[in-house]
Amino acid sequence: MMLGRSLTATLALAFGVTTFAVFALVGTYVYVGLERQVRMQDDLDIVLAARHARRLASELESLDGVRTHADRLTSLVLGNKALSMAVADTQGNILARRNVERTELEEPPAGARPAAKGASDALSPDAELFPPHAVPIPADARITSEQIVAWSADDDTPVRGIVTDAELLDHARIRIAVARNLSDRVRLLDSYRDTLKIAGGLGVLLATLLSYWLIRTTLAPLREIVTDTGRITVDRLDTRLDASHAPRELRALVDAQNAMLGRLQQAFGHLSQFSADLAHDLRTPLNNMRGATEVMLSRPRSPDEYQTLLVSNLEEYDRLARMIENVLFLARAEHPSFVTREREFDVYEELTRIAGYFEGLADEAGSVLRVEGRGRLTADLELFRRAVSNLLANALRYTPAGGEITMRVEETSDAVRVVVANPGEPIDPALLPRVFERFVRGDRARSGGVPGGTAGLGLAIVRSVMELHGGTARVESDASGTRFILDFVKTAAT
């Protein structure tokens, strides 16, 4: 079985990767910055040494003066063994040198520029310090760092240097080369880079471990919520999670779970009550049939008495069938896949048709049916008929003899309202909020009434039908009578 991904490990790994990326960018930036600063400083040393050497050479009278004051001329690189200097005449003869043995060459520098037109012949191979194909800077030109060239010595030691011409007092020309051995800089930068790698790696590892510990500690309230939720069973649906110790970000989750538990408790309570009421209502007709049958079998009976028993049992069978049908309808109506077949129809015509169907029952009860109003509605016609029929049957059951039951339709721009009103005693105010619940009936309803009763499920079916159409069902009851009101919203219906 594949284990689920750990949120703590995922966040810690993500933080570690982020830390690594930040360390790599910062380390690279610092390393490149240091390398640039070192190179700028070395190039500045080379440029200053070349400038001073050319200025000192311009004060000497001749080539002999250069040889005589060679130490003075090359003292500019004294004390820094990484810097080398060589002075040669136009024939390539070395007049002065210092630290030259550290920067001998075999190959021309990479990317060296070709000699300018009219320049003197190449220097002799004895002048190892002078990079081949390097373009000397004229004696009257300014020496800048852009004129520095780079090359490698025979042992692959990196070197940067510059070559410039100088003019003596007797107008003789000499050539001065200043170079710097970069091996110490390479070792410094390599050491610094290795230090950055080690420090960065340790930093990433430490940050990852620390973030894992911090995330795990931070998620402790969430684990407590999971543990508390696991303790809630069917017998403890009244238990609620404690949100007082939860972080602010988790309080919404705790409140949502508590609300869900409340809904589950309410639904489970309704289910338990529904099961108990259903068992009670199923037991009543069964007990009636059993009792009547036992009495009938206690002694011999005439055929007429047996026939009367069968007729009575058949009525109880019909009552059970209607109850089972209504329960199945309510169960299907609550399922998300329940489909309504809506179409447009004339509400007044349908109310008139329903009134005609109940006309015989109304005559037996001594009641009068009347239909009023005009309107068109888009809804499931069969469900509409069922809801109105249940309301009309309920009205016939409670209307006194000689009373008038009114079915009225009212249409507005955004809704269609159907009202079933009947005279009679008002509904008990304590019962009024619960009339649409299952198996809720008044005492007179339990004592009998109009045939075809729904065993306390009729009004529950009405509410389900309205919920399927996005509408509402409500009741008003006072001394003038009782009015059941169905509001169909046009936009929801279409």
Side-chain angles (χ1 to χ4, degrees), residues 232-239 268:
I232 299 175
T233 61
V234 175
D235 299 330
R236 301 179 58 190
L237 288 178
D238 58 337
T239 304
F268 191 78

Side-chain angles (χ1 to χ4, degrees), residues 399-452:
T399 300
E404 183 181 76
I405 301 174
T406 303
M407 292 187 294
R408 183 173 65 255
V409 56
E410 303 171 359
E411 184 176 9
T412 62
S413 60
D414 57 353
V416 175
R417 172 173 294 178
V418 176
V419 181
V420 178
N422 66 281
E425 295 183 6
I427 301 175
D428 185 356
L431 185 64
L432 201 60
R434 301 178 56 241
V435 294
F436 290 102
E437 296 181 7
R438 300 174 185 179
F439 297 106
V440 174
R441 294 175 295 184
D443 293 336
R444 290 186 301 161
R446 288 190 180 274
S447 62
V450 175

Side-chain angles (χ1 to χ4, degrees), residues 371-388:
V371 180
E372 299 176 350
R374 288 289 177 181
R376 299 190 65 82
L377 175 64
T378 300
D380 189 307
L381 182 57
E382 295 301 325
L383 295 182
F384 175 83
R385 291 172 177 172
R386 186 166 193 168
V388 176

